[in-house]
């Protein structure tokens, strides 16, 4: 039995508690959060937010990719959010990963990717670059609100690096 | 005071409960989930999973974009996941949205985007296309495991469409 099979088998037990017929697609706190896919992050608990209050975007590294800009554009232009928070974290799987090794591994599978892995060495500098990219993205009407934070899964602490 | 300011001010009260020094970047259930950024979705609760068990990827629509494939590649090749679940949902903000209207709005901001909004009319067909794209992605060693589900925020129900 796969994890997916287990999830489906137990889903009916959870549905009543999950149902939110009182909510719409519009986030109540007009906030969009871009963070990492890391399994240790539980964004709503991390931020003290409730279901329905914010869009949560997640990719490998919390990087401001084209797809993140697409999603944030949908968030601001179609669904009314007006504030953006980018949250990277300590001990990220992309920290000190090797673009070259990754490219070589993909080549062995017969793939020449059009994208970079997104590996980085300096957490704060990478966060600053993502924030800068979003602030310069005219796709986003509320681009000037973008701020960046760093989370530490070992301690649960959240901090804003000094600019 | 912005929502970000409130989040930062209250963060120290949450850190002790959030800390997970016993966990690493490797998801314990070897699962990666791609779902939508929608504010009504709380993926861990929706799936009955705990912090540390799965990578959670989220974008507008839960679409299998290049960035989702990048993130899933990191997940499988660097962090050991072996199973993928794509979860779209009813009442998605991209359902019946207009690519043309969106493009026109961006043009007014002086932007000619290189990406599509990702609007769709048929939820099940779009999910099937995302699943098919991932299953055909040689970047992913465990691409044959990909399955797609649909969540209904109004009822909390999760279902697997018949193929």
């Amino acid at each position: 039995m796969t994890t997916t099979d287990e999830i489906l088998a137990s889903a009916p037990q959870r549905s009543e508690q999950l149902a939110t017929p009182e909510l719409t697609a519009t986030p109540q706190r007009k906030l969009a959060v871009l963070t990492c896919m890391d399994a240790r992050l539980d964004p709503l608990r991390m931020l003290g937010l409730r279901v329905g209050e914010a869009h949560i975007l997640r990719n490998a590294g919390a990087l401001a990719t084209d797809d993140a800009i697409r999603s944030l554009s949908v968030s601001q232009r179609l669904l009314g959010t007006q504030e953006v928070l980018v949250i990277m974290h300590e001990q990220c799987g992309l920290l000190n990963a090797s673009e070259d090794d990754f490219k070589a591994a993909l080549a062995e599978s017969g793939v020449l990717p059009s994208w970079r892995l997104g590996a980085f060495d300096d957490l704060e500098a990478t966060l600053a670059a993502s924030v800068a990219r979003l602030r310069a993205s005219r796709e986003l009407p509320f681009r000037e609100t973008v701020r960046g934070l760093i989370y530490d899964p070992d301690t649960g602490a959240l901090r804003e690096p000094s600019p």
Side-chain angles (χ1 to χ4, degrees), chain A:
Chain A
M1 198 181 207
T2 65
T3 299
T4 300
D5 290 327
E6 284 179 40
I7 285 168
L8 275 169
S10 57
Q13 299 164 23
R14 293 186 295 274
S15 58
E16 197 175 340
Q17 289 209 321
L18 291 172
T20 52
E22 74 283 9
L23 297 176
T24 69
T26 306
Q28 294 174 323
R29 302 213 49 173
K30 301 183 191 301
L31 172 69
V33 178
L34 169 60
T35 192
C36 185
M37 69 181 181
D38 191 282
R40 293 164 293 185
L41 275 54
D42 188 358
L44 294 182
R45 279 180 63 229
M46 179 167 80
L47 303 173
L49 295 172
R50 283 176 298 197
V51 165
E53 294 191 326
H55 279 146
I56 310 287
L57 290 65
R58 302 179 68 174
N59 66 24
L63 302 179
T65 58
D66 284 359
D67 196 45
I69 292 174
R70 177 187 69 86
S71 297
L72 290 171
S73 301
V74 172
S75 179
Q76 294 193 355
R77 290 180 179 268
L78 297 186
L79 296 165
T81 66
Q82 301 183 356
E83 195 174 338
V84 178
L85 201 42
V86 183
I87 309 180
M88 293 184 75
H89 68 98
E90 309 283 355
Q91 300 114 38
C92 185
L94 287 177
L95 187 62
N96 300 319
S98 163
E99 291 283 346
D100 288 344
D101 290 353
F102 196 77
K103 189 181 159 193
L106 285 182
E108 281 180 26
S109 304
V111 180
L112 186 66
S114 56
W115 36 265
R116 290 183 70 249
L117 169 63
F120 56 86
D121 299 321
D122 184 326
L123 187 59
E124 292 200 12
T126 306
L127 177 63
S130 274
V131 168
R133 185 179 186 201
L134 296 180
R135 285 194 179 167
S137 294
R138 297 177 68 181
E139 291 88 343
L140 309 177
F142 298 94
R143 58 192 173 274
E144 289 171 14
T145 67
V146 182
R147 283 164 70 181
L149 306 180
I150 292 177
Y151 176 72
D152 183 344
D154 276 1
T155 65
L158 194 64
R159 68 186 171 89
E160 183 168 35
S162 37

